[in-house]
Amino acid sequence: MNWHLLWLIPPAALAIPAIAASHRAVKGNEYLKLAVNLSLFLAAAVYGSSTDWQGLTLPFSISLLFAAAADFLLSRQRRPWFFVAGLAGYLIAYAIYGIVLHQAAGPSWLLALAIPAMLILMALQYRKLDRLPADLRAPVITYMLTVSHLVVAAFIHAAHKWTSNPAAAVCILAGAILIYFSDSCIAHHTFGRKLAKSEIWILASYYPAQLCMLAGLMMIQVTG
């Protein structure tokens, strides 16, 4: 058994009340969400320190730290620039995921299938964002490209790792897909048709996404 996976229990346990508090708009729910994100970062940091920060551990930990800051900014929304800053934080976090997974997987002919498929899906989603302000179009398109690249990179990584470590491959691919789904819910709720119980849709996919990414990381053999 990989005992490092036990470090995922605290963030998984904290995620349940965080989702409930956010759904009910309980005052101070952003601090509970921050606790979930910081516990995810702590789990990655503990794993990284125990493996001398080999492989993907350092970039994954940095990504989780940016995601924690981004989520807090988006939850607070105390200043007009908080939204853009939060968007930038998540963009950096998911760009790190995508870049390191792409580098770990290397070149693949599957890119010829995955990239057009994700671009078509992105274009279809963008058409639904009919309430997107003109000044946010460029940032949102950049963000959508970044998350789409993450899914493509995770798909190529999964194909690369499938024979040597299928459990890790499935976890990381599932994490990327859930990140894409969660962010799609945010985009459509914010700039398209409002979603009923949006916080449940968003957080109940986002937290499992990050847990899957971390579980996949912990399952990867450093030598593999």
Side-chain angles (χ1 to χ4, degrees), residues 4-104:
H4 292 293
L5 293 173
L6 294 177
W7 281 97
L8 300 182
I9 294 176
L14 285 169
I16 298 173
I19 294 170
S22 297
H23 171 60
R24 296 179 179 276
V26 176
K27 186 177 180 179
N29 70 82
E30 64 270 24
Y31 296 103
L32 188 53
K33 291 165 67 178
L34 181 63
V36 180
N37 286 305
L38 290 179
S39 65
L40 285 164
F41 167 73
L42 179 61
V46 170
Y47 177 73
S49 63
S50 68
T51 58
D52 296 324
W53 300 101
Q54 297 183 55
L56 305 176
T57 51
L58 182 57
F60 268 47
S61 299
I62 294 172
S63 175
L64 286 166
L65 193 58
F66 271 101
D71 186 67
F72 188 71
L73 286 169
L74 289 175
S75 298
R76 297 280 287 179
Q77 295 275 340
R78 297 294 176 86
R79 299 285 189 277
W81 57 268
F82 274 29
F83 177 80
V84 176
L87 194 71
Y90 271 125
L91 186 145
I92 295 171
Y94 297 152
I96 291 172
Y97 273 156
I99 290 169
V100 298
L101 287 173
H102 211 142
Q103 289 179 337

Side-chain angles (χ1 to χ4, degrees), residues 41 51 63 69 76 103 119 135 138 147 165 172 179 184 187 194 197 214 218:
F41 167 73
T51 58
S63 175
R76 297 280 287 179
Q103 289 179 337
L119 288 175
D135 59 336
V147 180
N165 204 328
I172 289 180
I179 284 173
S184 295
K194 293 287 185 180
K197 301 179 180 178
L214 261 182
M218 293 176 180

Side-chain angles (χ1 to χ4, degrees), residues 87 91 119 122-123 126 129 132-149 191:
L87 194 71
L91 186 145
L119 288 175
M122 176 184 150
Y126 183 78
L129 306 182
L132 179 62
D135 59 336
L136 288 179
R137 288 174 186 169
V140 168
I141 289 173
T142 303
Y143 187 89
M144 293 175 75
L145 285 169
T146 301
V147 180
S148 297
H149 173 253
F191 303 121

Side-chain angles (χ1 to χ4, degrees), residues 54-55 161 164 220-224:
Q54 297 183 55
K161 286 287 183 181
S164 62
I220 293 174
Q221 296 177 0
V222 174
T223 57

